[in-house]
Amino acid sequence: AHEPNNSEGVVPFGHFTLPKHVDTLVKEAGGYVYNLPFPINPNDAMAWFSDDWWHLSYAGHVEVANGILSLISQMQKKVLKQQKRLVDSSGDQCYNWFSNGIVTLREYTGCQLVNIVEMGKITNLQKWVLEVDPSSSGATITFQSKFSSPNIPIFISYLSVMAPAELSVVE
């Protein structure tokens, strides 16, 4: 990432400035910032942009790809290191029936397995959900945890045709 060289925390480049807080927030989260190079002569960067001056040209995409590859190569050991596990270094456990319609949960009640693509009259694809009737009092999904700890983080993904009035507590 290009580091600001003045006390205001911005890098001047024509009318564009890079706020210092962007770099700070990304670095605090353990991320990296990649910027296109800032050539001394702005004409040297003209080939990186398409005719609309908003989108990158092929040469611009190549410049970005090579720059990110260089960043990853420089940071390889740190970026590609073994990540910490959420639960006792034991890995994770996933139940996902969205692509194949195979539900391996111990039990699910108050909901039914539905191919949402068929609802749209396209029958050559499969996208499966457990549909809960909005007029019902809810549904229960039960699964067997492979972890010995009673306190494990749970992530649930859902689709909705309307914003829920409130989300229920997961027990």
Side-chain angles (χ1 to χ4, degrees):
H2 186 74
E3 294 296 326
N5 58 7
N6 58 32
S7 61
E8 291 83 39
V10 295
V11 179
F13 187 73
H15 68 279
F16 174 77
T17 57
L18 179 68
K20 185 176 183 179
H21 71 273
V22 172
D23 273 333
T24 302
L25 290 172
V26 171
K27 288 176 183 173
E28 284 177 1
Y32 297 89
V33 174
Y34 169 78
N35 296 305
L36 280 167
F38 290 93
I40 294 170
N41 182 348
N43 289 329
D44 295 339
M46 290 178 67
W48 298 338
F49 298 95
S50 63
D51 291 339
D52 65 6
W53 289 103
W54 183 257
H55 296 95
L56 291 175
S57 66
Y58 177 80
H61 281 97
V62 169
E63 185 69 32
V64 169
N66 287 333
I68 292 173
L69 180 61
S70 175
L71 174 66
I72 291 172
S73 295
Q74 293 169 19
M75 304 294 177
Q76 185 173 8
K77 287 185 180 176
K78 190 171 185 181
V79 172
L80 301 177
K81 69 180 180 183
Q82 183 71 12
Q83 300 296 316
K84 291 182 181 178
R85 305 287 188 187
L86 291 176
V87 182
D88 303 320
S89 299
S90 301
D92 62 5
Q93 179 177 345
C94 182
Y95 294 97
N96 188 339
W97 48 87
F98 187 69
S99 295
N100 61 15
I102 300 170
V103 181
T104 58
L105 297 168
R106 179 191 282 175
E107 178 183 9
Y108 56 97
T109 58
C111 53
Q112 63 180 351
L113 187 64
V114 175
N115 183 349
I116 61 172
V117 177
E118 287 180 0
M119 293 169 26
K121 306 297 186 239
I122 301 172
T123 58
N124 60 341
L125 296 173
Q126 293 189 23
K127 300 296 175 197
W128 297 89
V129 297
L130 289 177
E131 181 181 57
V132 179
D133 182 350
S135 64
S136 72
S137 60
T140 300
I141 296 174
T142 307
F143 64 93
Q144 179 66 43
S145 174
K146 71 177 188 177
F147 302 107
S148 59
S149 172
N151 300 314
I152 58 170
I154 296 177
F155 174 80
I156 298 175
S157 178
Y158 70 94
L159 304 171
S160 177
V161 294
M162 63 184 148
E166 63 181 65
L167 294 176
S168 302
V169 175
V170 176
E171 296 180 29

